[in-house]
Amino acid sequence: MRSLFPFLSLYRTHFGRLLLGTILAITSLAASIGLLSLSGWFLAASALVGSSLLFNFFYPSSGVRGLAIGRTISRYFERLVTHDATFRVLANLRIAVFSKLIPLSPAGLNRYRNSELLNRLVADVDTLDTLYLNLISPFISAVMVILFMGIGLSFVSPLLAVIICGTLTGLLVLFPIVFYRLGKRLGKIVIQSRAKYRSQFIEWVQLNAEFLLFGVQQQATAKLQQTEKEWLDAQSHESQLSGLSNALLIMANGILVTVVIYLSATAINVPTAENPEALIALVVFCVLASLEILTPIGIAFLHLGQVITSAERISEITEQQPIVQFTGQAGWQKIAENQPLVEFKQVNFTYPQRDENVLNNLSFEVLSGQKVAILGKTGSGKSTIFQLLTRNYDPTSGQILLNHCKIEEYPEQTLRQHTVMLSQRVHIFSNSLRENLLMGNPNASDERLLEVLNQVGLGYLIDEQNGLSLWLGEGGRPLSGGEQRRVGLARLLLSDAEIVLLDEPTEGLDRETEQQILQLILEHCQGRTLLMITHRLNGLEKFDKVYRIDNGSLV
Ligand code: ATP
Ligand code: MG
């Protein structure tokens, strides 16, 4: 239950709306019960009086009408306000979860699959929205309405008021405890098998061709169906329990009605009332209507297990501490010519949860304005150098200086402003071509974007219909590996950063394009400092220095 606390604190920002929603819920529930009680009494009293005119039917009939209208209006606004508040809380929650997620990337998220992360961010966060809507609001409304009923009924018969409200309160305490316990384990299974099913389903869709080629499609489908069955079984079991909760409530209500009818013959004693017998109908109808208070409660607590499991799954991610914290406040000094700009001093590095050292006592420096090529076998640790330079990880020991200042002393913004990296894998966001490029420089004009696109040889992407609004990524124009690299390169050319880090920028390009791209990069890097990882030996004469890395050291 404690795992819900961090999420409850998000409710503070929308407390007013949530409170209003609950007040409206109370009003509509009270109006509903009042309506049935008053109607019951009115019909009974009319029947007793018969056709004589000694009965004021104006007040009760307008009361019935008023309550009916009141119930409809308050129910409408209750739905409106509570859902509006829930969606606002949900929006906050998503932002809160996402902003915890970002600093964890990439080290803290490596062990989760993409589909698993998506599941937690979408489905689990969604599950949390029932917390207020199905649990908190109905529970508070139930408590308040039982209280009002008690006060109202005590004018008719204190004894019946105590019996009715005592029973309702007992059920209100008992049902949540019993059904929470019964549903706890199931809720966990529902949430876990939902996540498993989604992951497996995504895998099944993505790898369908491979499954078919290797003749294992049937096994894969059977595995998926097995997971689906677990999920459905747990849901069906939950539905049975929710049916049981309803059945038990109806039974309890029936028994209470019988007892109340039996007792009301002697217990109701209001000598001042015009038609005291009609009060029996009022009390009985009131008890009948009270079913509406309790029905949502049993079911809601049955699902509390799901809500708690989802909260735990989200907290499992968000409560991790990022391994890299940006706490420094250093400013970026103006770079002097031919001064060490990037310095590695006896840097050792091991990836978390791995044993072997990837960088061994690595020391080198790059002067401002220099163009340095980094060569080395695959797996020798070249990309890892860039991982440290962009502070995706911190060295295990040793120091990295950037512009004479320890790298950890810069705020993230400063570091990102002065370094730009083209990594081995370029990510294309599901967004327009324009937005994908603006990442390199948010202030670039459309003319500049078009110019850069032509430079990297992607001018043909611009058609007359969509221009820079061409949609990329999911559901958009697919890009080949080479095209993706060139989008990455375009981002890099747009950026003003002084330190340029390139991880095999020409990989997968033909020789002619490679020459052009290299030329472009070198032109862009005039007056900047370039570190470029490469496997290719041609063009090396254009660099000031060539470092060869082997086994995490400079050789
Ligand atoms: P390539 O030329 O193939 O790109 P590289 O020189 O860039 O190789 P790195 O990516 O730096 O090699 O990897 C160096 C070593 O670190 C490899 O043994 C690799 O398995 C390991 N490694 C790389 N990234 C991670 C990671 N995120 N977590 C754990 N180990 C990693
Ligand atoms: Mg690499």
Side-chain angles (χ1 to χ4, degrees):
M1 199 80 82
R2 191 167 304 150
S3 53
L4 294 177
F5 292 164
F7 300 102
L8 287 176
S9 67
L10 283 171
Y11 285 11
R12 264 191 312 226
T13 30
H14 296 295
F15 185 73
R17 283 170 206 272
L18 296 167
L19 184 68
L20 180 63
T22 308
I23 292 174
L24 286 166
I26 295 172
T27 318
S28 80
L29 200 55
S32 188
I33 293 172
L35 177 63
L36 211 58
S37 313
L38 184 60
S39 311
W41 174 82
F42 188 31
L43 288 175
S46 310
L48 285 171
V49 172
S51 56
S52 79
L53 290 173
L54 295 168
F55 173 49
N56 177 357
F57 54 82
F58 287 110
Y59 286 151
S61 67
S62 55
V64 167
R65 232 166 276 166
L67 285 170
I69 295 170
R71 182 180 70 154
T72 313
I73 293 178
S74 55
R75 176 58 52 92
Y76 173 78
F77 281 103
E78 180 232 327
R79 289 289 136 109
L80 194 71
V81 173
T82 53
H83 281 75
D84 175 63
T86 304
F87 288 136
R88 282 171 197 268
V89 170
L90 210 57
N92 281 3
L93 180 58
R94 281 196 202 290
I95 294 169
V97 173
F98 200 69
S99 47
K100 291 257 185 167
L101 218 57
I102 291 188
L104 291 175
S105 166
L109 303 179
N110 264 347
R111 57 200 176 92
Y112 299 99
R113 291 182 183 199
N114 284 347
S115 55
E116 179 64 34
L117 277 178
L118 184 71
N119 229 320
R120 293 186 194 225
L121 192 64
V122 179
D124 288 332
V125 169
D126 268 347
T127 307
L128 280 178
D129 77 0
T130 54
L131 188 60
Y132 165 73
L133 222 45
N134 294 354
L135 274 151
I136 299 177
S137 172
F139 194 81
I140 296 177
S141 319
V143 171
M144 295 308 292
V145 173
I146 291 175
L147 188 71
F148 295 153
M149 266 175 75
I151 296 171
L153 286 175
S154 66
F155 290 106
V156 180
S157 160
L159 174 68
L160 289 181
V162 170
I163 291 176
I164 294 170
C165 294
T167 313
L168 292 180
T169 311
L171 292 173
L172 188 64
V173 175
L174 192 69
F175 266 66
I177 296 175
V178 171
F179 281 91
Y180 166 59
R181 297 233 159 153
L182 287 176
K184 195 172 159 190
R185 196 183 57 85
L186 274 178
K188 201 170 185 143
I189 298 176
V190 168
I191 295 294
Q192 284 171 347
S193 49
R194 174 178 74 186
K196 195 167 146 198
Y197 181 78
R198 286 177 168 224
S199 298
Q200 282 183 1
F201 184 73
I202 292 174
E203 194 175 84
W204 186 82
V205 170
Q206 285 177 341
L207 299 181
N208 216 297
E210 282 83 352
F211 287 154
L212 202 63
L213 283 172
F214 289 96
V216 290
Q217 210 195 19
Q218 276 187 345
Q219 282 110 297
T221 310
K223 194 170 127 194
L224 187 67
Q225 281 169 345
Q226 176 59 31
T227 312
E228 187 180 15
K229 189 171 172 304
E230 279 166 31
W231 184 21
L232 287 177
D233 282 350
Q235 286 186 67
S236 135
H237 205 149
E238 260 194 347
S239 302
Q240 285 166 4
L241 282 177
S242 109
L244 178 70
S245 144
N246 278 341
L248 287 176
L249 271 178
I250 292 172
M251 191 175 79
N253 192 260
I255 295 172
L256 186 62
V257 169
T258 316
V259 171
V260 166
I261 292 177
Y262 178 76
L263 290 179
S264 48
T266 50
I268 296 178
N269 185 12
V270 190
T272 50
E274 266 180 62
N275 298 298
E277 303 87 339
L279 290 174
I280 297 177
L282 182 139
V283 176
V284 170
F285 274 89
C286 181
V287 177
L288 279 174
S290 70
L291 195 60
E292 206 177 313
I293 307 176
L294 293 175
T295 318
I297 304 287
I299 298 170
F301 279 83
L302 182 61
H303 292 147
L304 182 58
Q306 282 191 23
V307 179
I308 292 178
T309 311
S310 286
E312 283 168 355
R313 282 163 53 84
I314 297 171
S315 306
E316 200 181 294
I317 296 183
T318 53
E319 278 173 12
Q320 291 182 63
Q321 280 303 320
I323 55 166
V324 174
Q325 311 248 17
F326 285 89
T327 48
Q329 291 298 328
W332 187 266
Q333 303 300 323
K334 203 173 158 357
I335 299 171
E337 278 283 309
N338 282 324
Q339 287 291 312
L341 183 58
V342 177
E343 295 167 77
F344 271 58
K345 293 190 168 169
Q346 294 173 333
V347 170
N348 284 291
F349 178 68
T350 312
Y351 279 102
Q353 284 125 26
R354 295 284 297 264
D355 302 326
E356 69 273 30
N357 235 6
V358 176
L359 299 183
N360 292 306
N361 250 342
L362 180 68
S363 301
F364 67 85
E365 61 175 39
V366 177
L367 303 185
S368 58
Q370 267 185 337
K371 319 258 170 299
V372 173
I374 301 176
L375 303 182
K377 287 195 306 233
T378 174
S380 54
K382 303 180 299 295
S383 300
T384 305
I385 296 177
F386 285 4
Q387 294 282 347
L388 298 188
L389 266 174
T390 45
R391 277 202 86 200
N392 278 337
Y393 298 89
D394 280 338
T396 320
S397 69
Q399 254 180 19
I400 300 175
L401 302 185
L402 221 51
N403 205 9
H404 301 294
C405 190
K406 287 185 198 153
I407 193 168
E408 59 272 18
E409 283 175 12
Y410 292 111
E412 180 163 22
Q413 178 99 22
T414 309
L415 185 66
R416 304 277 173 252
Q417 224 167 14
H418 297 279
T419 53
V420 59
M421 171 162 93
L422 176 61
S423 54
Q424 271 176 305
R425 262 184 52 208
V426 175
H427 188 82
I428 304 293
F429 290 87
S430 298
N431 209 331
S432 64
L433 177 59
R434 180 185 288 108
E435 292 297 328
N436 264 294
L437 293 175
L438 284 178
M439 231 158 274
N441 183 349
N443 304 320
S445 64
D446 278 5
E447 288 73 44
R448 176 80 185 116
L449 298 185
L450 288 173
E451 187 189 352
V452 171
L453 273 177
N454 281 320
Q455 281 181 337
V456 298
L458 286 178
Y460 59 87
L461 282 184
I462 302 295
D463 60 23
E464 287 179 3
Q465 214 183 3
N466 295 312
L468 284 165
S469 307
L470 176 75
W471 194 263
L472 300 181
E474 215 132 299
R477 183 178 186 308
L479 296 182
S480 73
E483 285 171 332
Q484 292 182 11
R485 318 223 90 230
R486 284 191 263 174
V487 171
L489 195 66
R491 283 179 190 152
L492 182 120
L493 296 181
L494 286 165
S495 141
D496 305 323
E498 296 96 324
I499 303 177
V500 180
L501 310 172
L502 296 172
D503 201 342
E504 305 196 37
T506 56
E507 194 186 46
L509 301 180
D510 58 75
R511 189 168 270 257
E512 196 185 329
T513 322
E514 183 189 348
Q515 289 302 329
Q516 284 171 7
I517 297 279
L518 200 59
Q519 193 54 40
L520 257 177
I521 291 172
L522 290 171
E523 269 169 33
H524 173 77
C525 290
Q526 266 176 16
R528 303 177 206 264
T529 309
L530 168 69
L531 277 81
M532 180 168 132
I533 296 174
T534 177
H535 271 129
R536 314 246 180 143
L537 297 174
N538 46 333
L540 282 186
E541 68 283 355
K542 297 184 178 124
F543 288 80
D544 301 315
K545 259 187 186 175
V546 177
Y547 287 142
R548 179 179 283 281
I549 306 284
D550 193 23
N551 240 334
S553 319
L554 213 58
V555 291

